[in-house]
Amino acid sequence: MEIVHTVENTRKILGQVSAEDKSIGFVPTMGALHEGHLDLMRRAKEENDYLVVSIFVNPIQFNNSEDLEKYPRTLESDIEKLESVSCDLVFNPSEEEMYPEPVTVKYNFGKLDLVMEGKHRPGHFHGVAVVVKKLFDIIQPDRAYFGQKDYQQLKVVEALVNKESLPVDVVACPTVREDDGLAMSSRNERLDEEERELAPVLYQSLKEVKDLAYKESVPEIKKWFEKQLEGYNDIQPEYFEIADAISCMPVDEMQKGKKYVACVAAHIGNVRLIDNIIINL
Ligand code: AMP
């Protein structure tokens, strides 16, 4: 496995790979790798000749400096995990390498910026789009793999690819969970023992929401969800929405035959977690 820190060397190596007519599968990450990441990588490796993974904690997608500072960085053990999935190249640039000049481009995703993650983390999706566009330019993958765990981010990346007519297939991968249902996340490492025990409540509640969706209205379900989490003093919900699964726009009512996604963000202690569940009505 090649471990590369510069854009120039990455381009050189990948230019050679493309010249050999090999397809490139790409998984962008911020490191602190877990099974959720590795699942994307195994799939990317299976569906392509050459696997590239990036590890870069992207400062411009954090709207909270404490979150950025406390984001886990575990490069050594990440590299071992990358070897285990037969990654071919890991791109691990410094901030200066990724942003030699101040960012001037401005991405606007319209209503996606105004709801759920977009609303609660101003500037977040702009930062995601800037880094993903740069990474796609450097790596020029045939396929890029993203987790449904970050459902709205997936929609933003799809919109970016459409907007900029980028020659890359975006592949959506299901959320990988712990045995107790908690969605795997690098941030889970920051939960203390009690918080970790509490955290699966989010997914358990989402599963109940999915059952309720067949018989209750959206406002009733929202009320139920709010009440459900009120029972846990150490969970502070930030939002709960049921959104159209294609547009990601929150809805007030659901129709049979359509697909929705119930999304939640909540703080447990100092850790902000998100999760979602797909509802096929
Ligand atoms: P991150 O390192 O958190 O930026 O995540 C990198 C990629 O891994 C993103 O496409 C995430 O959606 C995906 N990912 C993170 N956690 C999971 C999970 N539990 N299951 C599936 N994909 C995930």
Side-chain angles (χ1 to χ4, degrees):
M1 181 172 75
E2 311 255 12
I3 302 170
V4 190
H5 302 287
T6 66
V7 172
E8 195 187 339
N9 282 345
T10 303
R11 284 213 167 108
K12 226 183 257 167
I13 296 168
L14 295 182
Q16 190 60 40
V17 171
S18 298
E20 290 168 17
D21 234 10
K22 288 184 175 160
S23 60
I24 297 176
F26 175 44
V27 181
T29 82
M30 298 202 297
L33 301 179
H34 51 66
E35 265 306 307
H37 296 118
L38 300 185
D39 205 52
L40 268 59
M41 292 169 199
R42 287 189 198 103
R43 180 158 173 196
K45 182 75 185 182
E46 229 172 78
E47 296 179 356
N48 300 276
D49 301 316
Y50 194 93
L51 170 61
V52 178
V53 172
S54 62
I55 295 183
F56 178 62
V57 182
N58 178 33
I60 67 166
Q61 75 182 66
F62 285 80
N63 56 329
N64 175 325
S65 54
E66 193 189 336
D67 192 24
L68 171 61
E69 208 177 290
K70 297 220 167 123
Y71 201 85
R73 289 156 172 91
T74 57
L75 189 60
E76 237 171 81
S77 69
D78 286 351
I79 285 172
E80 277 173 28
K81 289 176 185 160
L82 291 172
E83 298 271 15
S84 81
V85 294
S86 307
C87 173
D88 295 291
L89 185 148
V90 50
F91 177 51
N92 174 227
S94 65
E95 261 179 64
E96 297 72 40
E97 187 69 14
M98 279 305 271
Y99 299 117
E101 302 276 338
V103 175
T104 49
V105 61
K106 201 84 206 132
Y107 289 108
N108 182 336
F109 294 100
K111 289 183 182 164
L112 272 175
D113 284 328
L114 305 177
V115 301
M116 303 192 289
E117 290 300 284
K119 178 173 169 188
H120 290 272
R121 300 183 72 188
H124 171 62
F125 287 137
H126 169 67
V128 168
V130 169
V131 81
V132 168
K133 172 71 166 64
K134 267 183 174 263
L135 289 167
F136 282 1
D137 284 346
I138 297 163
I139 287 149
Q140 304 196 13
D142 295 278
R143 297 179 195 86
Y145 296 76
F146 290 84
Q148 287 184 345
K149 149 88 175 25
D150 301 280
Y151 194 87
Q152 203 177 352
Q153 167 174 283
L154 175 66
K155 293 291 145 189
V156 164
V157 172
E158 287 173 353
L160 171 74
V161 164
N162 246 332
K163 208 190 260 286
E164 303 287 318
S165 307
L166 305 178
V168 49
D169 281 344
V170 173
V171 183
C173 304
T175 303
V176 179
R177 301 180 177 282
E178 302 285 357
D179 289 343
D180 58 12
L182 175 65
M184 290 192 183
S185 164
S186 308
R187 290 186 172 87
N188 293 352
E189 286 183 25
R190 293 180 42 216
L191 298 167
D192 70 23
E193 212 172 303
E194 273 172 35
E195 292 162 351
R196 174 62 189 80
E197 253 174 52
L198 198 57
V201 163
L202 293 181
Y203 185 57
Q204 283 155 14
S205 305
L206 286 175
K207 279 200 295 192
E208 292 195 47
V209 162
K210 187 171 175 163
D211 293 339
L212 286 173
Y214 297 95
K215 39 188 191 247
E216 300 284 356
S217 69
V218 171
E220 285 301 323
I221 296 172
K222 282 184 158 179
K223 243 186 263 167
W224 177 87
F225 195 87
E226 205 174 295
K227 264 243 164 79
Q228 169 81 355
L229 291 197
E230 262 173 22
Y232 300 93
N233 285 337
D234 295 330
I235 304 183
Q236 280 87 44
E238 193 171 86
Y239 66 77
F240 168 71
E241 297 284 2
I242 297 180
D244 180 291
I246 296 167
S247 68
C248 236
M249 288 304 119
V251 297
D252 292 324
E253 56 181 295
M254 292 186 273
Q255 289 163 12
K256 276 224 152 53
K258 288 192 70 178
K259 189 171 157 182
Y260 299 91
V261 57
C263 300
V264 63
H267 292 263
I268 301 187
N270 284 327
V271 186
R272 183 179 187 274
L273 298 179
I274 60 170
D275 201 354
N276 65 75
I277 198 165
I278 300 285
I279 302 169
N280 274 306
L281 264 200

